[in-house]
Amino acid sequence: MSNSWQSKVRSDFPILSTKVYNRPLVYFDNAATTQKPKQVIQAITDYYEKENCNIHRGVHYLSVKATEAYEDTRSVIRDFIHARHSHEIIFTRGTTESINLVADSFGKKFLSEGDEVIISVMEHHSNFVPWQQMCLERKATLRFIPLLEDGSLDIPGFCELITEKTRLVALTHISNVLGTINPVKEIIAVAHQHGIPVLIDGAQAVAHSAVDVQELDADFYCFSGHKMYAPMGIGVLYGKEHWLEELPPYQMGGEMIRDVYFTHTTFNELPFKFEAGTPNVEGAMGLHAAIRYLREIGMDRIEACEQELLDYATRHLLGIGGLKIFGTAPHKASLISFLLDTIHPYDAGMIIDKMGVAVRTGHHCAMPLMEYLKIPGTIRASFAFYNTKEEVDRLVEAVEKAKEMLL
Ligand code: PMP
């Protein structure tokens, strides 16, 4: 990547020029949330300065304008993930709400005693707890795809889990702990041979490479705006039309109704059936701007840039004696989870932080995975296209310092 391109990109993100503890901030917590470019921040300001209004229910100028902008975002998202129809795009608060929506609606309609749902041991709590709880409620059984040594899914192990009782597979596209990029297209194809629908948790995927939900043939695909340079509180549930038609509404209230009588209610058409209440219009404006920004850079360029950083960081971190990386699958996204000898991740994280480097420590909302790996947590550095090799050098220096102080 050229230096001039990188400095131009970095100048789009005001927070990247912040200092912490008197040192320039190195932000390696992108898997938790990405920073926002000024184009996104400006889009939100513009919305409030020029267009703010509640949508869908008004005939006046502002309401029409805000509605158009909101619906325009829906079709931009449709195009971004290559969905067939705009009404297959449901706005939610984020990945967590998208998965809860499906677990609740699908569970109530299609899960009964003795049925089975398959997830993997690497799932984030967002794609774990909703299924666990729904299975408990419906007296169904949750099954777990095991992992290989390098943190890839055990595909033969997955095939063995499928039975005539399997009702759904819910799987992460990319692990937020191990970085593993799962072969979701192949898994979906296997599940479909048995007539089983598949939900993909795309929270860690959409910002890092191009996603085509039709090519994947995913039945449901979930993601969050804030992990793709957009604001918090906005996200997406993509669902194939026929599934969304079949599922009952998730929340009740305004907007999701067609007619309400004293005795009963009829529901709105897609996508509104799943969008009860006043939506996050400013979030949609920010998400639209973020997608425009990502497209200007190009998803291929982003992927190449992040893979280069991943290779560089892996090589340099492995040069530190006693450092162990968790997740060494051949296809990995740009994040590295590691431990330093016997040092507790929190202790190391505190020292790395004091060196101005933001990494995340702990179980990363994947406690079952930590139990499976028999570790208390990890230190995780996650990279975005605006990060540099010089910043990776600062991480390596900070990790060496932590080792020197704590061992
Ligand atoms: N799934 C994965 C793989 C994630 O990394 C995250 C966020 N860390 C989530 C789901 C949940 O996303 P959100 O908190 O934005 O709903």
Side-chain angles (χ1 to χ4, degrees), residues 95 98-103 118 123 126-127 131 168-173 184 188 196-202 218-222 237-238:
T95 310
S98 301
I99 298 172
N100 272 278
L101 189 164
V102 180
I118 300 177
E123 299 309 312
S126 292
N127 197 32
W131 299 112
L168 182 123
V169 175
L171 180 68
T172 192
H173 197 161
V184 288
I188 291 169
I196 304 163
V198 181
L199 173 142
I200 300 295
D201 169 355
D219 298 281
F220 301 101
Y221 196 96
C222 311
L237 165 67
Y238 157 79

Side-chain angles (χ1 to χ4, degrees), residues 31 94-96 124 126 172 174 176 201 203-204 224 226-227:
T95 310
T96 304
H124 186 281
S126 292
T172 192
I174 295 180
N176 66 312
D201 169 355
Q204 293 296 340
S224 303
H226 72 96
K227 291 183 197 284

Side-chain angles (χ1 to χ4, degrees), residues 327-344:
T328 52
H331 299 294
K332 262 190 77 171
S334 57
L335 65 86
I336 303 178
S337 264
F338 60 93
L339 281 176
L340 256 184
D341 251 304
T342 51
I343 300 172
H344 196 280

Side-chain angles (χ1 to χ4, degrees), residues 8-29:
K8 147 87 191 61
V9 161
R10 286 181 67 83
S11 70
D12 287 334
F13 292 81
I15 210 168
L16 295 181
S17 48
T18 312
K19 286 198 166 174
V20 293
Y21 310 114
N22 247 344
R23 296 167 195 262
L25 166 72
V26 173
Y27 186 75
F28 283 157
D29 197 15

Side-chain angles (χ1 to χ4, degrees), residues 389-407:
K389 289 183 180 163
E390 291 70 33
E391 290 182 313
V392 173
D393 295 341
R394 291 258 318 271
L395 169 68
V396 173
E397 193 192 321
V399 174
E400 271 167 345
K401 179 91 178 169
K403 185 181 158 191
E404 185 189 306
M405 288 176 71
L406 295 168
L407 263 192

